[in-house]
Amino acid sequence: MINIEQEKSINQQIKKKSLAQKYFLWLQPCEIWCLLRKKTQFNSTIYDCIQSGLENPDAICGLYATDGDCYELFRCLFWPVIMDYHKIDIRNLIFKHDFGDYHDIQDLSSEINQQILSIRIRIDRSIQHYPMIPKLTVDQLLEIEERVRTTLEHLDDDLQGDYHSLKDLNEMDQIKLRERSILFQEPIDRYLESAGVYNHWPNGRGFSINKDENFIIWVNEEDHLSFIAQSNDSKMNETYERMIRAINQIHQAFEFQQHQRLGYLNFSPLNIGTALQVNVHIKLNHTEKLDELIEFSKKYDIHLENTNEKNIFNLSNIIRLGRTEFHIIRSMWNGIQQIIEQDINQNIN
């Protein structure tokens, strides 16, 4: 049974408004009526976009784009949510895409490198002329999968890997792959389920991993394409170089959905702009000052959180929109250096 404290916590979560609910309630009746009458070229409605939030009132965002046109057609709801979450005024924003030169990502000192355990860079992309996954038909899911499978054959040799369709993997193989973070998670997220991300599962889903297991492509997980470059060392420049090279080669076969202000568009408005996610696992020696270090990390727009392993922490970028990919990578790398130096010196300000 749920005790009183647990029940109180659940009730507080439900009472807290999602961003979608917050800004939907700000709309005038005429704006709401106008929203309800609109449909995108893929027949997406505002109800499709807020359905998950309606079914899950404890959601942080509660809003998803079932196709790229939603960001513009329903902008009176999407834009306030985006500005609130990303803490940026997008009304005068012009998105700039720039991977920069990976050579400018400098190696850190050997002392700092010893505390960096792994690097994982992920970038998501949605393919032009398709809706987002909840609106894809089975045929479209399979079409994207086949197009990606064909394109993978033309990647550089070190990036190529065998493609595996999810429907061809038995349960035990899936479990092993997930334990190694090679395969995306099973369809159990209630927010995504309500939003329709698991429609027609497992059709059209799959992954490819290269021989060295440092480059992965996920197909039709939450977005059409997810690129993952990773390493079990501190070579950020090499990891970033693999990512740049892979995306540029895939981009020759696919046009990605993009907005002049919002950057690259994906299913979740929380994952637009660069759609760049960086996770670096580090070992900290002085966890007695963890609270101070967490606050210190925020100065560099880095989120620091504990993992399930003792003294191992995950550092991730807070910002995805309003800066270029190169700016985010370089700023985060500089921040990680400062964080580890603070841990080494035990001198947190």
Side-chain angles (χ1 to χ4, degrees):
M1 294 181 65
I2 299 176
N3 61 37
I4 295 176
E5 289 301 319
Q6 288 176 317
E7 184 175 355
K8 182 179 179 181
S9 176
I10 292 172
N11 289 336
Q12 287 176 342
Q13 289 180 344
I14 293 176
K15 288 179 181 179
K16 185 178 180 180
K17 293 183 176 65
S18 67
L19 291 175
Q21 183 181 2
K22 172 183 175 181
Y23 289 104
F24 190 86
L25 294 174
W26 280 20
L27 297 174
Q28 298 295 321
C30 60
E31 291 178 304
I32 295 175
W33 176 245
C34 185
L35 276 179
L36 294 174
R37 297 177 63 184
K38 291 180 177 180
K39 284 187 178 182
T40 70
Q41 61 173 317
F42 297 105
N43 288 320
S44 294
T45 66
I46 191 61
Y47 176 75
D48 294 326
C49 299
I50 63 175
Q51 181 176 354
S52 179
L54 293 172
E55 296 180 5
N56 300 279
D58 61 328
I60 294 174
C61 180
L63 182 68
Y64 293 107
T66 47
D67 66 63
D69 293 343
C70 296
Y71 285 99
E72 193 64 37
L73 193 63
F74 308 132
R75 61 186 290 179
C76 63
L77 182 57
F78 270 86
W79 285 29
V81 168
I82 290 169
M83 288 192 285
D84 189 317
Y85 181 82
H86 293 277
K87 308 304 178 187
I88 187 171
D89 188 345
I90 61 176
R91 290 171 294 183
N92 297 311
L93 180 67
I94 300 298
F95 175 74
K96 294 181 180 180
H97 160 67
D98 180 19
F99 281 136
D101 187 346
Y102 69 91
H103 291 102
D104 293 333
I105 307 297
Q106 302 296 322
D107 287 335
L108 305 180
S109 69
S110 58
E111 185 179 21
I112 292 176
N113 286 341
Q114 290 177 2
Q115 292 187 219
I116 298 177
L117 306 179
S118 67
I119 298 170
R120 189 174 173 97
I121 303 173
R122 172 174 171 172
I123 293 180
D124 299 327
R125 291 288 184 262
S126 298
I127 303 170
Q128 190 68 274
H129 309 304
Y130 290 98
M132 305 306 181
I133 285 180
K135 287 289 183 179
L136 288 175
T137 65
V138 174
D139 288 342
Q140 287 174 318
L141 284 163
L142 295 174
E143 180 180 299
I144 290 175
E145 182 180 43
E146 186 56 36
R147 288 182 62 188
V148 174
R149 188 197 303 264
T150 301
T151 303
L152 293 177
E153 298 173 359
H154 303 288
L155 294 180
D156 290 343
D157 290 344
D158 67 306
L159 299 175
Q160 286 187 21
D162 295 329
Y163 182 82
H164 303 273
S165 290
L166 185 59
K167 60 182 176 62
D168 296 332
L169 297 173
N170 62 48
E171 185 176 353
M172 185 56 64
D173 286 339
Q174 291 185 36
I175 292 173
K176 291 179 180 178
L177 289 165
R178 288 186 176 114
E179 288 176 347
R180 296 165 58 199
S181 299
I182 293 174
L183 178 63
F184 41 82
Q185 294 301 309
E186 56 189 321
I188 57 174
D189 187 300
R190 59 187 170 94
Y191 306 103
L192 297 180
E193 182 177 15
S194 295
V197 170
Y198 303 141
N199 292 348
H200 314 299
W201 191 279
N203 292 292
R205 278 82 172 187
F207 76 96
S208 171
I209 184 168
N210 65 346
K211 182 180 179 180
D212 294 331
E213 297 192 355
N214 57 22
F215 179 68
I216 305 169
I217 293 182
W218 290 345
V219 179
N220 292 328
E221 178 230 8
E222 180 178 328
D223 294 304
H224 299 150
L225 295 170
S226 296
F227 304 90
I228 299 168
Q230 59 187 15
S231 65
N232 291 320
D233 54 32
S234 59
K235 297 294 185 181
M236 174 64 85
N237 51 7
E238 294 180 7
T239 309
Y240 187 47
E241 184 276 334
R242 277 196 303 278
M243 175 64 77
I244 295 171
R245 184 155 45 93
I247 289 187
N248 286 339
Q249 290 179 24
I250 294 288
H251 194 22
Q252 294 177 18
F254 295 99
E255 181 183 359
F256 300 137
Q257 297 187 35
Q258 193 172 355
H259 188 281
Q260 181 184 16
R261 303 189 190 282
L262 306 178
Y264 291 102
L265 302 179
N266 286 312
F267 173 62
S268 171
L270 310 188
N271 188 33
I272 58 175
T274 60
L276 169 65
Q277 306 168 57
V278 184
N279 290 278
V280 179
H281 280 191
I282 67 171
K283 181 177 181 179
L284 295 178
N285 300 312
H286 303 288
T287 56
E288 69 275 5
K289 293 189 175 183
L290 182 59
D291 290 340
E292 292 94 330
L293 198 57
I294 289 174
E295 288 303 311
F296 180 79
S297 300
K298 293 178 182 178
K299 296 179 181 179
Y300 299 93
D301 299 317
I302 292 175
H303 176 65
L304 187 153
E305 62 182 346
N306 205 345
T307 66
N308 293 326
E309 300 180 62
K310 183 180 180 181
N311 290 0
I312 306 302
F313 294 82
N314 177 56
L315 304 180
S316 58
N317 58 305
I318 295 174
I319 293 177
R320 300 182 192 178
L321 176 64
R323 298 180 187 173
T324 67
E325 294 89 345
F326 181 69
H327 188 173
I328 292 172
I329 288 283
R330 186 166 62 176
S331 296
M332 184 172 182
W333 197 231
N334 291 337
I336 289 172
Q337 179 179 0
Q338 298 298 320
I339 291 167
I340 295 177
E341 285 181 350
Q342 293 292 329
D343 178 62
I344 292 173
N345 298 327
Q346 303 185 58
N347 180 27
I348 302 171
N349 298 315

